[in-house]
């Protein structure tokens, strides 16, 4: 992108004298010219970005003043239909907080910059979330156990399958239950687990001449799994042999009917483990409400709301730290219960977008766990037939991990863009590639888009009400390694298929960072979890708790004044049966476009919620009527921000309206 013409913002002679003419600085120049130059450059940059003309062209950043007691490790962020932002940390990638059972959620109100702590019942660190039709936020999954890296595993551990051959009752084993191997080595369960009762089936058997013989009974043992660790440290508990394990303390028939099975118990790296818990966050009551747990434990899952209002939960690490092999499930907000969904494997946090007709498009974006050669190819997933059609044309296919992707505005165009990304795991690869696929084509395929300024992982991408995409942050290496944070931002314009520069952020954002659109048209950015705190990678990184807000050019100078912005007055808080709503306005001629913007629920560069819906617009002398498509695969049920924009793209303050 071209450098701006610096002559337009030449500092005054007085400023130059202050900046460069002091005696102390002259001494510094003599002693350390590079340091002096850097100091002068920073001062000049600070001066330049504060100028009104710069802000009107590139926008501006400002730090949010967050009181210390409300600062947290923002792992998840979701905009609620009350206009408040739910910031979920859980244990916040802090094992000490996890061990202490200290879990955080902060509710921030951008309207008055007030904050509130929300009691957090589980560790929602790396959970999944999605907006429900009634405005609640479904949060499911999270952390049951932190990882233990190679070389740090002191006790052998692994998966124990518990069998129950009793058809009359289930059996619950508490955390700490002991399992004894044939050689006498004992292992301890790390979680509570309930083993269902066995299934008893009767089969009628006919003998010679059609004579009915006594029924044959088949018993299929109930089964559950749990992670176990050796009771004692050392290599004596290592085993790679399949074996049956006695459950210590059971007697009589229970001892015969209940037992453990394990294939291997090793000191290899032990991954994070997920939980089954699910909650709805009530935006009005401002509290978590428990619902039925999932059938599978999930850590790093994606939750996506479907056209009928149900939610599909996909992928994640299970209760023993393995990537789920395709056991997906459906949540019904009416019954608050889960049922089996279509079976298909994806890496963790796959980016899945609801498209016209009800299919889900997998962009290839994902956030991390899973083999490099499985589940990485993008495609259209028909969840009714459970078929998957691959979409080709994507370059740098080995670098879709930690990439960003989104449905380009407006959603009626049915185009998906993928931006940046990196190699699998701790790879140092990062790509500047962007690619766009038009799903309306008979044979959709990715076409290469304009390149980012440099290879970028963890890029945040946010839809704006003027039909542009704002992208910011990221790093050029895994978790900002080597001080590789990218302090750059840009706008992508779908109409021209080009990038243009935006003001540079001052806070680096890499892993565990988020960005979302606010109802007033600004963008807020949270989080960042660098692996290291210096360019030499010798100091551990510190989680970034500062919050920075970007004000786009469309809200700078005179355009920001209330009298110069389009405005929607009184009107309904939901669309009618035909998808219409009428709002009073003093200047209907000022309104050129209207958009429904679905609020974000974002984590790990993954935001499958946001979408921008083009509305038909009818004006009268003192009102405007908007009309949305009557297609729930295009406009899933839920609450939306309604923005009106003028011919220059200046947006109104959003009105919240519900689509049922």
């Amino acid at each position: 992108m071209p450098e701006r013409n610096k002559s337009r913002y030449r500092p005054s002679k007085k400023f130059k004298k202050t900046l460069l003419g002091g005696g102390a600085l002259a001494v510094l120049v003599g002693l350390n010219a590079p340091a002096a130059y850097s100091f002068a450059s920073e001062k000049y940059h600070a001066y330049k970005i504060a100028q009104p003309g710069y802000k009107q062209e590139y926008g501006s950043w400002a730090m949010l003043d967050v009181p210390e007691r409300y600062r947290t490790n923002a792992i998840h962020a979701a905009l609620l239909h009350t206009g408040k932002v739910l910031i979920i940390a859980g244990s916040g990638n802090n094992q000490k907080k996890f061990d202490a059972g200290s879990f955080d959620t902060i509710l921030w109100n951008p309207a008055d910059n007030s904050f509130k702590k929300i009691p957090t019942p589980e560790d929602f660190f790396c959970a999944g979330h999605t907006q429900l039709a009634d405005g609640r936020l479904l949060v499911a999954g999270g952390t049951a156990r932190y990882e233990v890296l190679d070389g740090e595993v002191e006790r052998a551990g692994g998966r124990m399958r518990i069998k129950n051959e009793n058809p009359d009752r289930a059996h619950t084993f508490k955390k700490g239950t002991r399992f004894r191997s044939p050689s006498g080595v004992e292992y301890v369960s790390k979680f509570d687990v309930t083993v269902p009762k066995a299934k008893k089936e009767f089969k009628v058997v006919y003998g010679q001449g059609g004579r009915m013989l006594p029924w044959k009974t088949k018993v299929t043992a109930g089964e559950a799994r749990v992670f176990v660790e050796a009771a004692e440290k050392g290599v004596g508990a290592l085993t790679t042999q399949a074996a049956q394990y006695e459950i210590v303390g059971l007697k009589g028939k229970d001892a015969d009917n209940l037992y453990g099975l394990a294939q291997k118990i090793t000191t290899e790296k032990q991954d994070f483990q997920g939980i089954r818990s699910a909650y709805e966050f009530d935006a009005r009551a401002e509290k978590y409400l428990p619902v039925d747990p999932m059938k599978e434990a999930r850590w790093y899952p994606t939750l996506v709301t479907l056209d009928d209002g149900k939610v599909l939960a996909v992928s994640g690490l299970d209760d023993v730290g393995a990537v789920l092999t395709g056991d997906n499930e459906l949540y019904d907000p009416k019954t608050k219960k889960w049922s089996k969904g279509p079976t298909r494997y994806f890496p963790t946090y796959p980016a899945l977008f609801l498209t016209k007709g009800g299919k889900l498009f997998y962009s290839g974006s994902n956030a991390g766990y899973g083999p490099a050669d499985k589940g990485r190819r993008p495609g259209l997933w028909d969840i009714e037939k459970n078929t998957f059609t691959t979409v080709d044309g994507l370059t740098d296919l080995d670098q879709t991990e930690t990439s960003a992707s989104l449905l380009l505005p407006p959603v009626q165009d049915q185009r998906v863009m993928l931006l940046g990304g990196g190699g699998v795991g701790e790879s140092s690869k990062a790509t500047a590639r962007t690619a766009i696929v038009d799903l309306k084509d008979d044979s959709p395929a990715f076409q290469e888009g304009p390149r980012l300024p440099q290879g970028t992982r963890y890029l945040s991408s946010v839809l704006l009400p003027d039909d542009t995409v704002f992208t910011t942050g990221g790093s050029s290496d895994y978790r900002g390694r080597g001080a590789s944070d990218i302090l750059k931002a840009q706008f992508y314009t779908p109409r021209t298929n080009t990038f243009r520069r935006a003001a540079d952020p001052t806070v680096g954002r890499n892993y565990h960072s988020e960005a979302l659109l606010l109802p007033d048209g600004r963008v807020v950015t949270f989080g960042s979890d660098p692996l290291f705190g210096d360019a030499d990678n010798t100091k551990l990184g510190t989680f970034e708790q500062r919050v920075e807000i970007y004000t786009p050019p469309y809200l700078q100078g005179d355009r920001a004044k209330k009298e110069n912005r389009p405005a929607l007055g009184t009107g309904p808080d939901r669309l009618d049966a035909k998808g219409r709503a009428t709002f009073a306005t003093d200047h209907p001629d000022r309104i050129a476009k209207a958009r429904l913007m679905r609020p974000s629920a974002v984590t790990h560069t993954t935001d499958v919620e946001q979408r921008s819906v083009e509305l038909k617009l009818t004006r009268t002398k003192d009102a405007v009527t908007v009309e949305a498509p009557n297609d729930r695969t295009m406009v899933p049920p839920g609450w939306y921000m309604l923005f009106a924009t003028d011919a220059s793209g200046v947006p109104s303050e959003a009105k919240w309206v519900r689509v049922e």
Side-chain angles (χ1 to χ4, degrees):
M1 286 173 284
E3 288 291 319
R4 79 169 283 103
N5 183 352
K6 294 181 180 179
S7 64
R8 293 178 61 184
Y9 298 103
R10 186 175 294 129
S12 67
K13 291 181 180 179
K14 181 178 179 182
F15 177 82
K16 287 181 178 177
K17 184 176 181 180
T18 303
L19 183 64
L20 300 173
L25 186 57
V27 174
L28 179 61
V29 170
L31 294 175
N32 191 342
Y37 178 79
S38 175
F39 174 78
S41 298
E42 289 176 8
K43 287 291 186 182
Y44 178 66
H45 179 71
Y47 164 82
K48 183 177 69 172
I49 66 175
Q51 301 309 299
Y54 182 94
K55 291 180 178 180
Q56 289 180 29
E57 186 167 354
Y58 299 115
S60 61
W61 292 89
M63 210 70 69
L64 178 66
D65 183 16
V66 182
E68 186 172 355
R69 69 184 299 259
Y70 296 113
R71 296 172 193 169
T72 193
N73 294 358
I75 306 296
H76 312 264
L79 177 63
L80 308 175
H81 72 280
T82 57
K84 299 179 181 181
V85 179
L86 194 70
I87 305 165
I88 305 173
S91 58
N93 204 15
N94 184 321
Q95 186 159 4
K96 289 183 179 178
K97 296 194 73 171
F98 174 81
D99 293 341
S102 176
F103 310 137
D104 294 339
T105 300
I106 302 295
L107 191 63
W108 167 51
N109 185 359
D112 60 7
N113 283 337
S114 61
F115 299 84
K116 179 181 179 180
K117 283 196 172 187
I118 303 296
T120 308
E122 307 263 4
D123 189 6
F124 296 135
F125 170 55
C126 296
H129 38 50
T130 190
Q131 305 280 0
L132 297 177
D134 64 358
R136 295 186 181 193
L137 184 79
L138 178 65
V139 182
T143 304
R145 183 177 188 269
Y146 270 62
E147 68 180 354
V148 185
L149 301 177
D150 282 330
E152 297 179 7
V153 179
E154 295 182 337
R155 298 172 189 269
R159 178 196 306 235
M160 182 70 68
R161 294 160 54 213
I162 309 175
K163 293 283 191 176
N164 181 7
E165 294 185 356
N166 184 347
D168 297 323
R169 69 182 182 94
H171 200 106
T172 297
F173 294 96
K174 293 295 185 181
K175 173 183 176 181
T177 297
R178 291 191 168 227
F179 298 81
R180 184 179 293 139
S181 75
S183 63
V185 179
E186 291 190 0
Y187 302 86
V188 182
S189 68
K190 305 306 292 182
F191 310 104
D192 295 349
V193 61
T194 297
V195 191
K197 63 184 179 181
K199 292 181 180 178
K200 184 185 287 187
E201 299 174 289
F202 299 98
K203 183 178 180 182
V204 179
V205 180
Y206 294 93
Q208 194 172 14
R211 183 170 60 89
M212 189 168 68
L213 301 175
W215 287 8
K216 239 179 145 177
T217 303
K218 178 184 178 183
V219 175
T220 303
E223 181 179 317
R225 63 179 179 252
V226 68
F227 188 81
V228 298
E229 280 185 341
E232 303 293 336
K233 297 179 182 179
V235 297
L238 289 172
T239 176
T240 57
Q241 300 296 317
Q244 182 169 315
Y245 291 74
E246 169 194 355
I247 302 177
V248 177
L250 295 185
K251 297 179 180 179
K253 289 186 177 180
D254 280 346
D256 294 332
N257 288 327
L258 293 147
Y259 52 90
L261 296 174
Q263 297 295 318
K264 62 178 182 177
I265 298 178
T266 74
T267 54
E268 296 172 359
K269 175 180 181 288
Q270 297 166 358
D271 272 319
F272 283 94
Q273 295 166 10
I275 60 175
R276 295 178 173 83
S277 302
Y279 287 76
E280 291 181 358
F281 185 82
D282 188 322
R284 296 293 185 192
E286 298 184 347
K287 63 181 180 180
Y288 289 104
L289 303 172
V291 298
D292 265 16
M294 296 180 289
K295 309 299 181 186
E296 296 287 346
R298 298 181 190 273
W299 188 85
Y300 265 49
T302 291
L303 271 59
V304 57
T305 296
L306 306 176
D307 55 294
D308 60 2
K310 293 181 180 178
V311 173
L312 181 63
V314 175
S315 192
L317 299 189
D318 65 15
D319 50 354
V320 294
V323 180
L324 288 159
T325 57
D327 300 317
N328 309 309
E329 49 195 302
L330 286 161
Y331 177 73
D332 187 341
K334 294 179 181 177
T335 63
K336 314 295 185 188
K337 295 183 181 299
W338 297 85
S339 60
K340 185 174 175 55
T343 301
R344 184 155 297 277
Y345 171 87
F346 293 95
T348 55
Y349 277 139
L352 297 167
F353 300 96
L354 180 65
T355 67
K356 185 174 176 61
K359 294 179 182 178
L360 294 179
F361 179 69
Y362 170 49
S363 69
S365 292
N366 63 88
Y369 288 77
D373 59 352
K374 186 178 180 183
R376 303 280 172 170
R377 299 188 70 85
L380 276 165
W381 183 20
D382 186 328
I383 59 174
E384 294 296 326
K385 299 177 181 177
N386 198 19
T387 57
F388 189 85
T389 305
T390 299
V391 170
D392 296 321
L394 188 64
T395 61
D396 295 344
L397 189 58
D398 64 336
Q399 296 174 63
T400 58
E401 194 164 287
T402 67
S403 61
S405 54
L406 71 172
L407 278 163
L408 287 173
V411 70
Q412 286 92 330
D413 287 352
Q414 289 291 278
R415 297 196 304 154
V416 175
M417 186 175 193
L418 185 143
L419 304 96
V424 173
E426 298 185 15
S427 167
S428 60
K429 286 184 178 179
T431 178
R433 174 262 294 119
T434 74
I436 300 162
V437 58
D438 188 340
L439 298 177
K440 300 191 306 299
D441 287 349
D442 292 337
S443 298
F446 275 103
Q447 303 293 324
E448 194 159 349
R451 294 183 72 78
L452 295 165
Q454 66 189 94
T456 308
R457 305 169 68 115
Y458 318 107
L459 184 71
S460 287
S461 299
V462 179
L463 299 178
L464 299 183
D466 65 350
D467 286 349
T468 62
V469 178
F470 176 68
T471 72
T472 181
S475 64
S476 60
D477 199 349
Y478 173 76
R479 287 186 63 179
R481 192 165 44 194
S484 60
D485 282 353
I486 300 169
L487 294 174
K488 298 289 182 184
Q490 47 272 321
F491 295 100
Y492 172 73
T493 303
R495 180 175 49 82
T496 60
N497 192 30
T498 56
F499 281 112
R500 61 184 174 90
R501 181 180 169 188
D504 299 338
T506 60
V507 179
R509 308 285 182 192
N510 53 71
Y511 183 55
H512 285 153
S513 63
E514 306 83 39
L516 57 79
L517 176 69
L518 296 173
D520 61 8
R522 297 178 299 164
V523 175
V524 59
T525 61
F526 307 92
S528 191
D529 196 359
L531 192 60
F532 297 104
D534 64 333
D536 295 327
N537 300 329
T538 60
K539 299 177 182 177
L540 289 178
T542 301
F543 201 106
E544 179 58 71
Q545 294 188 337
R546 288 177 293 174
V547 177
E548 199 170 17
I549 299 178
Y550 177 71
T551 302
Y554 58 50
L555 292 179
Q556 298 288 345
D558 289 342
R559 287 170 287 192
K561 294 179 180 178
K562 186 176 180 180
E563 63 270 19
N564 292 335
R565 295 180 68 175
L568 296 173
T570 56
D573 65 355
R574 62 194 62 208
L575 303 183
D576 66 18
K578 295 184 178 180
R580 297 174 181 169
T582 299
F583 295 87
T585 180
D586 293 335
H587 300 284
D589 56 310
R590 187 178 290 174
I591 297 174
K593 295 179 180 178
R595 297 288 184 266
L596 283 182
M597 309 283 291
R598 191 169 176 91
S600 287
V602 58
T603 186
H604 293 74
T605 319
T606 305
D607 186 354
V608 302
E609 286 293 291
Q610 62 173 343
R611 62 178 57 209
S612 175
V613 184
E614 183 177 9
L615 304 179
K616 292 181 180 178
L617 195 62
T618 305
R619 303 176 189 83
T620 63
K621 64 178 183 178
D622 56 4
V624 292
T625 298
V626 296
E627 182 178 347
N630 191 22
D631 181 347
R632 290 298 162 266
T633 65
M634 301 281 280
V635 195
W639 285 88
Y640 288 76
M641 292 179 283
L642 170 61
F643 285 98
T645 58
D646 66 15
S648 299
V650 177
S652 65
E653 290 265 355
K655 289 277 189 181
W656 285 97
V657 295
R658 184 174 175 180
V659 176
E660 296 177 319

